[in-house]
Amino acid sequence: LESTIMDFWRMVYEQRCRIIIMVTNLRERGREQCAKYWPDEDDVEPVVVGNMFEVHNVESAYHADYTVREFVIRPVSTSPQPPS
């Protein structure tokens, strides 16, 4: 849910999650199933989550039935510029 995105990224950061698997589409049968909690690969700026974290999309690989995305998450207060 949109209201739990900050909690989601805090959990990912605190638990040092290395893999996130999403088993639903954002929309199914015309209904929203999941809020989009990640930045697009072509976004120049990271997504800032609740003034706590910056989420950078490093790379995306698109396949017929799934997509693999690589993210970097950093606390806002100590976040250096993402690698070019």
Side-chain angles (χ1 to χ4, degrees):
L1 301 173
E2 190 76 34
S3 62
T4 63
I5 291 175
M6 184 174 67
D7 297 324
F8 172 78
W9 282 114
R10 183 176 38 234
M11 178 193 67
V12 168
Y13 183 79
E14 289 174 353
Q15 298 301 313
R16 299 180 179 169
C17 295
R18 300 197 40 93
I19 297 174
I20 301 165
I21 299 174
M22 184 171 131
V23 294
T24 187
N25 292 315
L26 292 176
R27 294 189 68 79
E28 292 180 2
R29 298 182 188 165
R31 296 181 58 196
E32 183 179 14
Q33 298 297 313
C34 178
K36 185 174 174 277
Y37 54 86
W38 64 88
D40 291 323
E41 184 178 7
D42 57 351
D43 289 347
V44 176
E45 296 295 320
V47 168
V48 177
V49 182
N51 292 325
M52 293 179 64
F53 301 105
E54 287 184 346
V55 181
H56 301 264
N57 187 332
V58 177
E59 184 177 5
S60 298
Y62 298 93
H63 303 275
D65 296 323
Y66 63 94
T67 302
V68 177
R69 293 181 177 93
E70 181 179 348
F71 302 112
V72 172
I73 180 173
R74 295 184 178 119
V76 169
S77 60
T78 61
S79 59
Q81 293 295 318
S84 299

